[in-house]
Amino acid sequence: MNMNKPTFLDDVEYKACSAAQSGKEWNWLNPQCGAFSHPANYYESSMHVWHEFEPLNADIECDVVVIGGGLLGASAALHFSEQGVDTVLVEKNRVGSAASGRNGGQLTPGLARWEAETMIEHFSFEEAKKLWHFTSTEAMTLIDDITEKYGLDVQRKRGHLTAAVHPGHLDALHEGMKARQYLDEKNTSMLTQDELREHVQSDNYFGGQLDQLGGHIHPLALTRGLAYGFCQNGGTIYEQTEVQSIQERADGIYVTTEQGVIKARKSVVMGVHHASFKLLEERNQTTIPFYTYVCTTAPLALDLKELLPTDLPVYDTQFQIDYYRGVSKNRLLFGGEGTGSCWSPEQTHDYLLGRIQHVFPQLEQVQLDFVWSGTTDLTVNGAADSRKFGSQYPIYAVQGWSGHGVAQTVRIGKAIADDFCSASDDFNMLTRIQHQNIPFGRALAPLVIPIAKSMYGLGAMINPGKMVSF
């Protein structure tokens, strides 16, 4: 297919969002910048208008159907196409319009909330080492390989910081570093309070950890870039095409949409994350939804280097984490919180602006140009839930990212294609992680999440040196 690569504007263009508003997700734009019923968020506003794919309007056949045009779906489709598999991707909205194109853009290692220490607890040394490198060194390298192969600009930057809001949290960060070293991955180092100040001009922190492996990225550019590579390899994408049902029959898997049916002769991949419960039907529901929030400031009055001299993205260790990084034209992207019920734009604006002023009180006059929400999902044990089922044809599904996992999602997309083509057993490794069913979890999320947060928050008050992040 003849299409342009996804490319960036010099800064932003205030405009309407090209995707339909979905679920409870919303975008807010400073009224001084323009008036749109559904404005584009910062990521879309920072990119040139990109290709729109036609909806499906016929019955077709292919070898593999990928459902969902986010990072998992686009990565799986790309890697299927690289191995010559006849693949069709369908997306109910626009490519990258959901969580994959709306997240904070940090690249951090681990499997959702599973880090090296947890993997060591649950697996043998060799298995833990394999899983850790899958979710860290291999995941980061894969993104670099893809962007180089297809000539993509995704604003990739290397390295990130974890800043300790309590002296006791330094012990937990150090233990995590030792666990990573035990698994033969040595990209982290501890920073004293003075050393951290060389990277973050804030008095809130007592030191931290520098991770040279991670970094940050423009997530919408990455998602669109994966889709671009898929199409360059002859793949087909249909947007505005929502899947209504999946039915396995003797001669294949029938994927029904409003305007047509796709017969997948060999396999289906469900890359719809928090919405996968709609298609899993009677199977165990192992996730509950929660909502996250991000903003981007107007261009700051002072030079961003006066806040972040080395331009490294930052996570902190408070229970309700803050994360932030510099973006185009001297803007600060800032995110945090996770709630069971979706906050309003006004409540979110005030919360995030307050957090920015708390971390950087030297910002006397700061305005927010963009604020937006996102929907993700979480599992009980904190690891992503990877499944492979189907009586005759393999059906793949991954969910439960808990707000973490840009690079890992891309890596799992490759693992799915490799599993289908018998090129590796990486995906089987992921399916061995056991997950707990959550009866009525989706309905009870607005109650369960605040209760859980209150319990954890109370524990943090009693023992502030114990690091627990949500």
Side-chain angles (χ1 to χ4, degrees):
M1 178 181 290
N2 185 19
M3 70 170 68
N4 295 325
K5 291 180 185 178
T7 55
F8 290 100
L9 297 164
D10 183 49
D11 180 30
V12 298
E13 177 186 342
Y14 304 114
K15 56 189 176 184
C17 183
S18 64
Q21 190 164 359
S22 179
K24 297 181 180 180
E25 293 175 348
W26 48 260
N27 299 335
W28 177 91
L29 178 67
N30 189 324
Q32 298 176 13
C33 301
F36 306 94
S37 59
H38 183 42
N41 64 21
Y42 166 76
Y43 293 131
E44 185 179 1
S45 295
S46 66
M47 300 192 73
H48 287 283
V49 174
W50 194 55
H51 190 87
E52 292 193 26
F53 300 91
E54 294 294 321
L56 176 70
N57 58 6
D59 294 345
I60 61 173
E61 292 188 18
C62 61
D63 287 337
V64 175
V65 173
V66 175
I67 305 169
L71 287 168
L72 181 72
S75 175
L78 172 64
H79 289 99
F80 275 117
S81 70
E82 288 184 340
Q83 299 187 62
V85 180
D86 177 19
T87 305
V88 168
L89 184 152
V90 294
E91 162 57 43
K92 72 175 184 178
N93 201 343
R94 296 290 311 279
V95 168
S97 59
S100 291
R102 302 173 67 85
N103 61 74
Q106 265 84 346
L107 299 179
T108 56
L111 185 66
R113 296 184 183 275
W114 270 30
E115 299 192 7
E117 291 172 280
T118 311
M119 294 179 187
I120 293 168
E121 292 173 6
H122 286 81
F123 291 98
S124 68
F125 170 76
E126 289 300 330
E127 290 173 327
K129 181 178 177 180
K130 180 179 179 182
L131 180 58
W132 178 253
H133 281 272
F134 177 93
T135 63
S136 60
T137 55
E138 293 178 23
M140 306 302 170
T141 299
L142 179 61
I143 287 180
D144 293 336
D145 290 346
I146 292 170
T147 54
E148 180 179 358
K149 180 175 182 178
Y150 294 97
L152 304 174
D153 179 6
V154 294
Q155 296 186 345
R156 168 83 156 98
K157 295 186 180 180
R158 287 168 174 76
H160 77 268
L161 300 159
T162 305
V165 299
H166 188 278
H169 295 176
L170 294 170
D171 292 335
L173 292 176
H174 189 252
E175 289 301 313
M177 182 182 72
K178 290 197 299 183
R180 292 172 65 165
Q181 292 174 342
Y182 175 69
L183 297 178
D184 197 26
E185 186 266 290
K186 301 178 175 63
N187 290 286
T188 50
S189 57
M190 297 299 297
L191 301 177
T192 65
Q193 189 172 37
D194 289 340
E195 289 171 333
L196 183 65
R197 286 275 302 186
E198 296 175 9
H199 302 280
V200 188
Q201 291 295 303
S202 174
D203 294 329
N204 282 21
Y205 309 121
F206 294 86
Q209 186 179 89
L210 170 62
D211 185 346
Q212 300 284 8
L213 180 63
H216 60 107
I217 205 163
H218 191 294
L220 180 59
L222 175 60
T223 309
R224 288 179 175 180
L226 296 171
Y228 167 82
F230 171 57
C231 292
Q232 294 303 108
N233 296 335
T236 301
I237 296 175
Y238 296 101
E239 291 182 325
Q240 310 300 334
T241 303
E242 183 170 7
V243 172
Q244 299 173 332
S245 66
I246 300 171
Q247 184 179 17
E248 188 177 7
R249 301 178 188 171
D251 61 339
I253 306 170
Y254 286 74
V255 178
T256 301
T257 74
E258 185 177 358
Q259 299 294 333
V261 177
I262 311 174
K263 175 186 173 182
R265 293 182 289 260
K266 297 181 180 180
S267 183
V268 164
V269 178
M270 293 168 49
V272 287
H273 300 288
H274 72 273
S276 60
F277 72 96
K278 296 177 181 178
L279 300 175
L280 288 171
E281 296 178 346
E282 77 282 354
R283 298 179 186 275
N284 286 352
Q285 304 296 326
T286 58
T287 66
I288 59 175
F290 77 104
Y291 302 92
T292 60
Y293 310 95
V294 193
C295 72
T296 308
T297 68
L300 300 175
L302 55 74
D303 192 329
L304 190 62
K305 290 184 177 180
E306 294 183 39
L307 306 180
L308 301 170
T310 57
D311 195 31
L312 291 175
V314 182
Y315 273 105
D316 73 10
T317 62
Q318 66 173 335
F319 176 62
Q320 293 289 339
I321 67 170
D322 292 332
Y323 61 85
Y324 47 90
R325 58 191 175 97
V327 290
S328 66
K329 293 299 179 184
N330 212 48
R331 299 174 185 271
L332 183 70
L333 182 147
F334 198 102
E337 264 290 357
T339 61
S341 298
C342 191
W343 279 2
S344 69
E346 294 75 19
Q347 183 178 9
T348 307
H349 172 281
D350 293 348
Y351 171 81
L352 292 176
L353 181 59
R355 292 306 307 167
I356 292 172
Q357 293 171 329
H358 175 76
V359 175
F360 297 115
Q362 61 267 48
L363 288 174
E364 297 177 355
Q365 294 180 328
V366 57
Q367 285 190 322
L368 305 185
D369 273 359
F370 302 91
V371 186
W372 65 96
S373 73
T375 310
T376 185
D377 56 352
L378 55 85
T379 59
V380 172
N381 68 2
D385 179 2
S386 300
R387 305 187 189 187
K388 178 182 178 182
F389 53 94
S391 58
Q392 193 171 350
Y393 304 95
I395 300 174
Y396 300 89
V398 184
Q399 55 184 351
W401 277 108
S402 303
H404 296 254
V406 170
Q408 297 77 10
T409 309
V410 177
R411 181 66 184 87
I412 291 179
K414 181 179 187 301
I416 290 172
D418 287 347
D419 183 85
F420 175 84
C421 297
S422 301
S424 81
D425 65 347
D426 289 336
F427 193 78
N428 283 332
M429 168 181 63
L430 301 172
T431 64
R432 291 198 295 271
I433 299 172
Q434 298 299 307
H435 291 274
Q436 183 177 333
N437 187 29
I438 311 174
F440 310 109
R442 308 200 71 79
L444 296 176
L447 297 175
V448 171
I449 290 178
I451 292 172
K453 288 171 63 175
S454 296
M455 293 175 61
Y456 278 118
L458 180 61
M461 290 176 61
I462 296 171
N463 184 7
K466 183 179 180 181
M467 191 175 75
V468 179
S469 297
F470 186 82

